[in-house]
C-alpha cells in the first residue's frame, strides 16, 4: 500500500529525517513509536504532502507521490488526522464532518456521517456546536471522524492519545483497532508506545530522524531495549 | 420629519455602497485573514471601465458586464502576482501589499484612462420618486437593491454551499483544508475574483449618482473598512448592516451638524469600535481550545 524509501526532509537548513525506509501493507496497523522530537510528525507531514521532501521516494498504491500536491492525496486514498487535531474551530461539528467528505456529493456522505455519529455518539449530541468549543478528547474524535469521511484506504494518525485521560485513550485505541474491519489501513504515530504496540501488527522505532528497530508488535513489546527505553518497564 | 427621511434616503444609498465594499472585504478576509485595501479600487475600476466601454459604443449592460469581468480578472491577478508569492508572510505585510497594489492600480488607471470625473446615464432615469414628502432617485433603489441581492447571494454561498464552507475552512485552517482535499490556492483565486467582481458591481451601480474618477477608491476603501469593522470583520450580515449604519451616520452628521464633519464619522466609528467592541456588532468571538 505504502512504500517509503530513503526519505529525507528538512526545516530550513536543518535536516530532521535522515533517510527513512518504511513499508505499510494493505490491511495492516503499523505504528511508528519514538520520543519527543524524533521526527514522527515530520514523517507524516511528508506523506500527506504538507511538508517538502528533500530526497527519497513515497509510493502509494503504485503511484509516486513526488508531484502529487497535498490536496490531491486524499483523492488517491490517503487521509491524515494531524498532530494537534487541526479541526475547523469556527465551524460546527457537522460542518467539519461534511468538509471531511469535501470530495464527495453522493448519498454515501449521509451514511458515512451517520456512521461517524454511531462511532462517536458525543459528536452527534454536539453536531451543531462550534468545534472549537469541544474538549480535547472530543476534538480528537472529530479529527479521526473527519479523516474517515474522506473514505481513505489508508489513514495516518498523529498521536491521537496525546493529552487525553486514560479512559479516552482506551476508547480511541479501540476505534483505531476497529478500522481493520472497515478495510482502512492505519499508520499510527505515538509517544504512547505501549498502547500503540498493543493494537498494532508491526512497529518501527524512530530515533532522531532514523528508524532504529522494526518488527512484529508483540516482539517489540517483549524486547528488553524497548521495554526500558519506551515502555518504562 | 421630511428632512430626517431625506437624510436617511441618502444615507442608505451611500451606505449600500459601503456595504458592498465591506462585503468584498468579508470574502477575502474569510479566505485569508487579509484586509484587502485595494477593494476601493475595484469599485473605481468597475465605474471607469464601464464609462469608457460605454463611450466606445457598447450598450450599457454589456459595458457593465465587461467592467465586472475585467475587474474580476484584475483581482485574480492581484492575488497571483502580489499575494500568493508572499504567502507565509505576516498578515500585516500582506495588508501593506494590498495598499501598494491600490496605489499601482490608481496610477495605471490615470495613465490608461484619464484624471477627469465621469458618469453614464442612470438605469431608470433621473426623475425623483416622492415618498412621504422626501424624494429618492431611482438609481438609489438600484444601489440599495444591489447591495441586498449581493448580501443574500453571499449569505447563501457561505452557509448553504460546500464551496462556501471550503472558503471558510481555508481561512480557519489552511493545512487542514488541504488534508480534506480542498485546493486552497483555488479558493484564494475564487475569493479575489469574487470580491473584485462585487466591488466592480458597486462601481457600476453608484457611478450615475456619485460620478467616478481614478481616485475615488481611497475613501471607499476606508469607509468600507469602517463599515466592516462596525459590523464585525468577516460577517456578511455585519458588513451589510455596518455599511448602511455608517452611511446613515454620515448623512445625519452632514444634515444636522455640518458636512465638514461627515468625513470624520468613519474614523470615529473605527476608533469607537476598536475601543468599545473590537468584535463589532456580529463578529464571532473565536472559541479556540488546545
Ligand atoms: N516547523 C518547524 N521548524 C523547525 N524545526 C522543526 C519544525 N517542526 C519540527 N521541527 C524539529 O524537527 C524535529 C522533529 O520534529 P517532529 O515534530 O517531527 O517530531 P515528533 O517526533 O513528532 O515529536 P513529538 O512527539 O513531540 O510530536 C524536532 O527536532 C523539531 O524541533
Ligand atoms: Mg509529533
Amino acid at each position: 500500500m505504502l512504500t517509503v524509501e530513503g526519505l529525507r526532509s528538512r526545516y530550513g537548513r536543518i535536516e530532521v529525517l535522515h533517510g527513512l525506509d518504511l513499508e505499510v501493507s494493505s490491511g495492516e496497523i503499523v505504528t511508528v513509536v519514538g520520543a519527543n522530537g524524533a521526527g514522527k510528525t515530520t514523517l507524516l507531514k511528508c506523506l500527506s504532502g504538507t511538508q517538502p521532501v528533500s530526497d527519497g521516494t513515497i509510493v502509494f498504491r503504485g503511484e509516486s507521490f513526488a508531484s502529487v500536491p497535498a490536496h490531491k492525496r486524499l483523492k488517491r486514498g490517503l487521509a491524515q488526522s494531524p498532530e494537534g487535531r487541526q479541526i475547523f474551530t469556527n465551524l460546527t461539528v457537522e460542518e467539519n464532518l461534511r468538509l471531511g467528505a469535501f470530495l464527495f456529493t453522493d448519498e454515501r456522505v449521509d451514511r458515512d456521517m451517520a456512521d461517524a455519529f454511531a462511532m462517536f455518539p458525543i459528536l452527534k449530541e454536539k453536531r451543531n456546536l462550534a468545534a472549537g468549543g469541544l474538549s480535547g478528547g472530543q476534538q480528537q474524535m472529530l479529527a479521526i471522524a473527519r479523516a474517515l469521511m474522506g473514505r481513505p484506504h489508508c489513514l495516518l494518525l498523529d498521536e491521537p492519545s496525546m493529552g487525553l485521560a486514560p479512559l479516552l485513550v482506551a476508547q480511541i485505541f479501540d476505534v483505531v483497532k476497529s478500522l481493520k474491519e472497515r478495510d482502512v489501513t492505519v499508520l499510527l504515530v505515538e509517544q504512547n508506545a505501549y498502547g500503540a504496540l498493543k493494537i498494532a501488527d508491526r512497529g518501527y522505532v524512530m530515533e532522531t530522524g532514523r528508524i532504529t528497530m522494526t518488527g512484529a508488535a508483540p516482539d517489540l513489546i517483549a524486547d528488553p531495549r524497548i521495554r526500558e527505553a519506551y515502555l518504562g518497564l | 420629519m421630511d428632512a430626517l427621511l431625506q437624510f436617511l434616503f441618502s444615507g442608505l444609498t451611500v451606505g449600500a455602497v459601503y456595504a458592498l465594499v465591506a462585503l468584498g472585504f468579508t470574502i477575502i478576509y474569510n479566505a485569508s485573514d487579509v484586509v484587502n485595501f485595494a477593494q476601493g479600487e475595484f469599485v473605481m475600476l468597475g465605474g471607469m471601465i464601464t464609462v469608457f466601454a460605454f463611450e466606445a459604443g457598447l450598450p450599457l449592460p454589456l459595458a457593465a458586464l465587461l467592467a465586472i469581468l475585467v475587474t474580476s480578472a484584475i483581482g485574480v491577478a492581484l492575488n497571483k502576482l502580489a499575494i500568493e508569492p508572499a504567502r507565509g508572510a505576516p498578515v500585516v505585510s500582506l495588508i501593506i501589499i494590498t495598499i501598494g497594489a491600490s496605489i499601482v492600480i490608481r496610477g495605471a488607471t490615470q495613465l490608461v484612462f484619464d484624471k477627469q470625473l465621469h458618469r453614464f446615464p442612470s438605469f431608470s432615469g433621473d426623475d425623483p420618486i416622492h415618498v412621504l414628502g422626501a424624494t429618492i432617485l431611482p438609481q438609489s433603489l438600484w444601489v440599495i437593491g444591489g447591495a441586498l441581492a449581493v448580501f443574500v447571494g453571499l449569505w447563501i454561498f457561505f452557509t448553504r454551499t460546500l464551496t462556501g464552507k471550503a472558503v471558510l475552512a481555508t481561512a480557519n485552517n489552511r493545512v487542514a483544508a488541504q488534508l480534506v482535499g480542498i485546493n486552497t490556492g483555488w479558493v484564494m483565486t475564487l475569493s479575489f475574483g469574487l470580491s473584485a467582481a462585487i466591488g466592480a458591481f458597486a462601481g457600476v451601480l453608484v457611478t450615475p449618482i456619485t460620478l467616478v474618477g481614478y481616485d475615488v477608491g481611497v475613501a471607499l476603501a476606508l469607509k468600507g473598512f469602517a463599515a466592516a469593522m462596525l459590523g464585525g470583520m468577516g460577517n456578511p450580515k455585519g458588513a451589510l448592516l455596518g455599511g448602511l449604519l455608517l452611511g446613515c451616520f454620515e448623512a445625519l452628521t452632514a444634515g444636522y451638524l455640518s458636512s465638514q464633519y461627515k468625513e470624520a464619522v468613519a474614523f470615529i466609528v473605527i476608533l469607537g469600535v476598536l475601543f468599545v467592541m473590537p468584535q463589532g456588532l456580529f463578529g464571532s468571538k473565536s472559541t479556540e481550545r488546545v
Side-chain angles (χ1 to χ4, degrees):
Chain A
M1 165 117 353
L2 175 67
T3 310
V4 176
E5 276 173 2
L7 184 70
R8 289 173 184 273
S9 183
R10 56 181 70 232
Y11 293 102
R13 287 212 300 280
I14 302 167
E15 187 176 85
V16 297
L17 298 184
H18 313 292
L20 286 187
D21 298 325
L22 182 138
E23 170 100 43
V24 181
S25 305
S26 187
E28 276 190 310
I29 297 180
V30 173
T31 183
V32 176
V33 299
N36 217 320
K40 306 179 297 294
T41 296
T42 309
L43 165 66
L44 291 198
K45 288 193 330 201
C46 287
L47 296 178
S48 65
T50 51
Q51 157 74 16
V53 168
S54 42
D55 197 16
T57 57
I58 299 169
V59 175
F60 183 68
R61 304 181 83 222
E63 179 189 12
S64 165
F65 264 10
S67 57
V68 179
H71 71 268
K72 290 193 175 152
R73 295 192 183 190
L74 181 59
K75 206 179 222 155
R76 307 292 202 277
L78 186 68
Q80 186 186 17
S81 163
E83 182 173 63
R85 294 119 195 187
Q86 313 293 342
I87 52 165
F88 301 119
T89 48
N90 295 344
L91 301 179
T92 66
V93 168
E94 188 166 344
E95 286 170 330
N96 269 268
L97 292 173
R98 181 62 192 88
L99 282 164
F102 176 73
L103 299 173
F104 308 105
T105 50
D106 52 14
E107 330 78 64
R108 197 181 138 187
V109 173
D110 291 336
R111 259 187 294 140
D112 286 350
M113 188 146 353
D115 263 11
F117 286 146
M119 195 184 267
F120 301 114
I122 187 74
L123 295 183
K124 184 167 190 179
E125 246 170 71
K126 310 219 162 185
R127 62 200 290 173
N128 292 320
L129 300 182
L134 297 180
S135 74
Q138 292 160 358
Q139 293 196 359
Q140 187 58 60
M141 295 174 196
L142 180 57
I144 294 174
R146 183 184 65 186
L148 290 173
M149 290 295 292
R151 305 175 194 173
H153 295 289
C154 179
L155 174 61
L156 309 175
L157 284 167
D158 198 339
E159 304 220 32
S161 77
M162 183 156 63
L164 302 189
L167 209 64
L168 271 175
V169 173
Q171 193 192 343
I172 297 274
F173 278 147
D174 278 346
V175 165
V176 174
K177 217 165 124 185
S178 75
L179 293 180
K180 259 197 168 167
E181 290 133 44
R182 298 167 170 256
D183 288 324
V184 179
T185 304
V186 174
L187 179 57
L188 167 68
V189 151
E190 267 293 344
Q191 278 193 52
N192 178 351
Y194 187 66
L197 285 168
K198 277 231 326 226
I199 59 164
D201 299 304
R202 290 192 301 115
Y204 291 87
V205 178
M206 190 165 170
E207 275 168 32
T208 56
R210 290 190 172 80
I211 300 291
T212 53
M213 216 186 281
T214 175
D219 297 345
L220 289 177
I221 292 184
D223 191 293
R225 285 166 297 176
I226 299 214
R227 292 177 78 84
E228 189 178 347
Y230 295 102
L231 307 181
L233 299 173
Chain B
M1 184 62 210
D2 300 352
L4 176 65
L5 197 60
Q6 193 61 58
F7 295 147
L8 287 180
F9 281 165
S10 73
L12 288 176
T13 306
V14 277
V17 177
Y18 299 161
L20 283 167
V21 177
L23 285 167
F25 276 132
T26 302
I27 300 168
I28 290 181
Y29 181 80
N30 272 348
S32 65
D33 283 340
V34 172
V35 178
N36 169 33
F37 278 100
Q39 192 64 33
E41 310 312 321
F42 296 152
V43 181
M44 178 276 289
L45 285 170
M48 286 297 263
I49 297 171
T50 307
V51 163
F52 281 83
F54 180 63
E55 284 175 1
L58 277 188
L60 192 53
L62 265 187
L65 185 66
L66 180 74
I68 291 170
L69 291 178
V70 170
T71 307
S72 180
I74 291 172
V76 170
L78 168 65
N79 176 46
K80 289 268 182 245
L81 301 178
I83 303 290
E84 223 174 69
R87 190 154 73 207
V91 167
V92 177
S93 313
L94 296 176
I95 291 173
I96 291 171
I97 288 176
T98 68
I99 295 176
S102 77
I103 296 171
V104 171
I105 293 174
R106 267 201 304 285
T109 308
Q110 225 183 104
L111 290 176
V112 174
F113 299 121
D114 60 20
K115 295 192 189 182
Q116 313 299 314
L117 281 175
H118 300 273
R119 75 171 292 223
F120 45 80
S122 304
F123 303 168
S124 314
D126 292 312
D127 299 334
I129 301 166
H130 294 268
V131 185
L132 301 172
T135 61
I136 188 165
L137 290 170
Q139 191 67 25
S140 290
L141 297 180
W142 276 100
V143 176
I144 295 167
L148 290 176
V150 168
F151 164 73
V152 171
L154 283 182
W155 186 77
I156 291 172
F157 177 66
F158 281 123
T159 61
R160 294 278 180 273
T161 74
L162 195 56
T163 309
K165 298 245 168 80
V167 174
L168 296 177
T170 301
N172 192 210
N173 191 324
R174 194 184 194 93
V175 170
Q178 292 176 353
L179 291 178
V180 299
I182 295 169
N183 181 346
T184 53
W186 181 82
V187 165
M188 290 296 288
T189 300
L190 175 76
S191 307
F192 275 84
L194 189 60
S195 75
I198 289 173
F201 180 58
V204 169
L205 294 177
V206 81
T207 293
I209 301 177
T210 60
L211 311 191
V212 67
Y214 78 99
D215 60 353
V216 300
V218 187
L220 285 172
L222 177 76
K223 307 285 177 70
F225 177 66
M229 291 279 293
L230 177 60
M233 201 40 111
N235 183 315
K237 207 166 28 175
L240 180 72
L241 216 75
L244 295 178
L245 276 175
L246 180 64
C248 290
F249 289 160
E250 278 192 2
L252 294 176
T253 307
Y256 288 117
L257 291 173
S258 152
S259 55
Q260 282 177 340
Y261 295 135
K262 193 185 87 174
E263 298 303 317
V265 171
F267 287 106
I268 292 170
V269 165
I270 292 176
L271 290 177
V273 170
L274 283 177
F275 281 123
V276 182
M277 44 168 197
Q279 305 288 346
L281 294 172
F282 291 101
S284 58
K285 283 193 192 70
S286 55
T287 43
E288 307 237 357
R289 211 145 132 188
V290 201

